Amino acid sequence: LDVSNKENVFEVIHNVKPDIIINTSALTNVEYCEKNNSHTNLINVIGMSNILNAISDKVNVVQISTDYVFSGFNGNNYKESSNCNPINYYGQSKLNAEKMLLASNNRYIIFRASTIFSNNFNCSSNFLTFIYKNLKNKKQVNIANDLYSKPTYVTTFAKTIIRSILMDLHGVFHYGSSNRISKYDFAIEFSKVYNLNANLINSVSYKTLPFNAKRPRDSTLNTKKIQNKLCLDIQTTKESLNSMKNG
């Protein structure tokens, strides 16, 4: 389904007649989004508009959003009610999509997650893919030691989404690993779990990296709301990496 194609969206929804839509479509490469605003808006925002215009208000919508709706300037532990203030175009586009869904008459769940990871190392915009391919090829990588978040293991995230639907939840929720971790430490943990050479990972400040788009320095999400709603026992990043390798 090409969410940017209005006719395609209407045709698919007319034929399928879904009760629930989980919208995982998005441009997520932060650098690409910063340089290609129009394409980003077409997929991340107009795509949401096309979906909402094609469905009745009886259809439930689950939107996958991001920690990048926050600036990262206010320390960690962002709650669902915290003020959103994105500092790059990717974050702004995802916030715009959130607002569009909130303004609709549809029942919704908005999940904000950060650094979603899996063992699909063919995904070009995946952080772990970048680490894996470079270390496998014995190439050094420079990773920020001062960017913090709670990385999200896609398998447990997917299970949480399904449980949320079955429990008929409604609202905005944050999800991620139980521990706050820097990009550098995340890369180190990953390399150790996958028996890669951690010595090839250089610890640097994000200010030294050739980013065009600004990054939230600490976009750590408070996940207590979804934990309490579903009685979740969320894994640490290391536990998730081990589950991913052995799963």
Side-chain angles (χ1 to χ4, degrees):
L1 176 61
D2 178 5
V3 295
S4 68
N5 186 316
K6 184 177 181 179
E7 289 73 24
N8 183 218
V9 172
F10 271 77
E11 180 182 2
V12 171
I13 288 177
H14 175 76
N15 291 334
V16 176
K17 296 179 175 60
D19 296 315
I20 299 168
I21 292 176
I22 303 175
N23 182 28
T24 61
S25 62
L27 287 177
T28 60
N29 185 308
V30 179
E31 291 296 290
Y32 179 88
C33 292
E34 198 70 17
K35 296 178 182 178
N36 299 274
N37 291 181
S38 295
H39 190 205
T40 301
N41 187 68
L42 180 64
I43 302 298
N44 294 359
V45 184
I46 301 302
M48 171 59 75
S49 176
N50 290 338
I51 291 171
L52 292 174
N53 287 330
I55 61 177
S56 72
D57 57 13
K58 294 181 181 179
V59 177
N60 291 355
V61 179
V62 180
Q63 170 71 357
I64 309 305
S65 194
T66 175
D67 56 328
Y68 273 38
V69 299
F70 299 112
S71 67
F73 295 147
N74 303 322
N76 61 70
N77 208 37
Y78 282 101
K79 296 181 179 179
E80 289 80 358
S81 58
S82 297
N83 181 53
C84 294
N85 184 25
I87 58 174
N88 55 49
Y89 197 80
Y90 166 66
Q92 186 62 59
S93 71
K94 296 297 285 184
L95 179 59
N96 290 345
E98 284 190 19
K99 290 179 177 179
M100 193 173 289
L101 180 55
L102 291 171
S104 74
N105 292 319
N106 294 83
R107 191 169 179 83
Y108 64 85
I109 303 175
I110 295 173
F111 268 109
R112 294 177 183 146
S114 63
T115 318
I116 297 175
F117 66 93
S118 74
N119 58 0
N120 177 12
F121 300 131
N122 293 316
C123 180
S124 60
S125 62
N126 187 303
F127 174 70
L128 291 190
T129 297
F130 171 75
I131 304 298
Y132 181 81
K133 288 185 174 180
N134 278 283
L135 298 193
K136 273 288 188 180
N137 292 319
K138 297 180 173 56
K139 294 181 179 179
Q140 293 192 23
V141 291
N142 296 326
I143 304 297
N145 56 27
D146 47 3
L147 294 178
Y148 296 88
S149 67
K150 288 183 175 180
T152 303
Y153 179 34
V154 70
T155 299
T156 54
F157 186 31
K159 291 178 180 178
T160 299
I161 293 170
I162 297 303
R163 283 187 62 186
S164 300
I165 293 170
L166 295 175
M167 293 293 291
D168 197 29
L169 296 190
H170 170 76
V172 180
F173 298 93
H174 290 171
Y175 187 82
S177 300
S178 62
N179 61 305
R180 169 182 178 267
I181 191 170
S182 71
K183 290 277 192 182
Y184 171 76
D185 287 331
F186 182 36
I188 292 293
E189 284 194 353
F190 169 69
S191 68
K192 289 180 178 178
V193 170
Y194 275 78
N195 299 314
L196 300 168
N197 186 358
N199 293 324
L200 293 172
I201 304 173
N202 300 318
S203 176
V204 301
S205 169
Y206 78 96
K207 296 178 181 178
T208 68
L209 296 172
F211 292 150
N212 289 303
K214 295 179 180 179
R215 264 56 170 188
R217 182 160 186 173
D218 192 338
S219 55
T220 305
L221 302 175
N222 184 314
T223 60
K224 288 183 179 179
K225 182 179 177 182
I226 192 64
Q227 287 180 262
N228 292 337
K229 286 285 186 180
L230 297 180
C231 298
L232 288 179
D233 183 16
I234 296 180
Q235 293 180 320
T236 65
T237 305
K238 185 175 183 178
E239 288 170 338
S240 293
L241 288 169
N242 279 303
S243 295
M244 182 173 78
K245 184 183 179 184
N246 300 323

